[in-house]
Amino acid sequence: MLTVIPDLLTAAQVTDVRALIDAAPWIDGNDTSGNQSALAKHNAQLPEDSDAARRGGAMVLDALAASPLFVAAALPLKVFPPLFNRYAQGDGFGAHVDTAIRIRRGSDFRIRSDLSATLFLADPNSYDGGELVIQMQFGEQRVKLPAGQMVLYPASSLHHVAPVTRGVRVASFFWIQSMIRNTEARATLLDLDTAIQSVGARLGQGDSEIVRLTGVYHNLLRQWAEV
């Protein structure tokens, strides 16, 4: 399941984040790579313990908390502190699957990576290539979104970043441990929640059938959730 979160950051927020991270020193992106990823990864990254990464990550986390669609789609239990990467001309990231357990360096914070997230921070017209290419059940999905928009996708999926041939691709990336471990169950809950909100907007949230459907949603959540 692939979910686009439109306008997670406003244009002004994107400008603020970019001003913060663009002025900071960058390092080799393999600083946080696993063995498999290190063979395929060619990009730059903000050090995860840098002041710019922490401050920029806090801005992203605030935006996530304020996004009903993110909460409904991810049903997050834990969110890994957002990281930031940059792909210049010739950079790319070959096919890989994200590490199952992510550990925050220098701490005991760890998550199971159920979902991966990429928040685009560069105007798509400012660079060529750089698409996030995800192998899904029904074929390949190529994602290149406007700055401020984010995509959620299963961390278990095979994916890569196409080489950048012009300009610079800048993004934030991180992982989510969901209360709902199973991808299909999570998709079912999102579909049900979306339908309830749509029908409720027409009939009113106090309609008896909406109340019943909301009860079904919460009973499924109660049955499936790990907290």
Side-chain angles (χ1 to χ4, degrees):
M1 180 180 176
L2 185 154
T3 304
V4 172
I5 313 292
D7 302 322
L8 182 73
L9 297 182
T10 66
Q13 289 172 321
V14 170
T15 298
D16 289 344
V17 172
R18 287 295 304 270
L20 181 65
I21 66 175
D22 288 350
W26 295 70
I27 60 174
D28 190 312
N30 280 311
D31 183 63
T32 55
S33 295
N35 292 334
Q36 181 192 63
S37 295
L39 299 174
K41 186 177 183 182
H42 301 281
N43 66 9
Q45 183 173 310
L46 278 186
E48 61 179 296
D49 58 352
S50 69
D51 179 66
R54 287 195 298 268
R55 291 168 60 194
M59 295 169 69
V60 174
L61 289 174
D62 286 345
L64 293 175
S67 169
L69 179 55
F70 168 74
V71 173
L75 292 169
L77 180 62
K78 298 179 184 179
V79 179
F80 197 88
L83 303 173
F84 298 87
N85 58 21
R86 182 172 67 189
Y87 292 79
Q89 185 172 341
D91 288 344
F93 197 162
H96 64 285
V97 173
D98 288 341
T99 303
I101 305 297
R102 305 295 312 198
I103 302 172
R104 175 73 169 175
R105 183 173 296 172
S107 77
D108 59 359
F109 179 85
R110 65 186 62 206
I111 70 168
R112 181 187 66 236
S113 58
D114 297 322
L115 290 162
S116 296
T118 297
L119 169 60
F120 289 80
L121 294 172
D123 183 339
N125 294 320
S126 69
Y127 64 98
D128 293 331
E131 297 88 355
L132 174 63
V133 185
I134 308 165
Q135 299 296 329
M136 304 296 288
Q137 181 180 1
F138 298 108
E140 181 180 279
Q141 299 290 322
R142 302 180 71 87
V143 184
K144 185 176 181 179
L145 298 175
Q149 296 197 17
M150 187 179 81
V151 61
L152 283 174
Y153 57 98
S156 58
S157 62
L158 187 68
H159 57 281
H160 70 272
V161 176
V164 171
T165 59
R166 178 188 64 87
V168 179
R169 175 197 194 266
V170 181
S172 176
F173 65 102
F174 51 94
W175 303 272
I176 300 100
Q177 179 173 333
S178 177
M179 291 185 289
I180 307 298
R181 185 171 188 165
N182 182 271
T183 301
E184 289 74 22
R186 201 163 53 243
T188 296
L189 285 170
L190 178 59
D191 284 344
L192 180 56
D193 184 40
T194 301
I196 290 170
Q197 298 306 318
S198 177
V199 176
R202 297 198 302 270
L203 301 182
Q205 292 297 331
D207 180 86
S208 60
E209 297 306 312
I210 296 298
V211 173
R212 288 182 61 190
L213 286 173
T214 301
V216 170
Y217 174 89
H218 284 285
N219 286 335
L220 288 174
L221 184 61
R222 186 176 293 111
Q223 179 179 343
W224 293 338
E226 302 172 12
V227 296

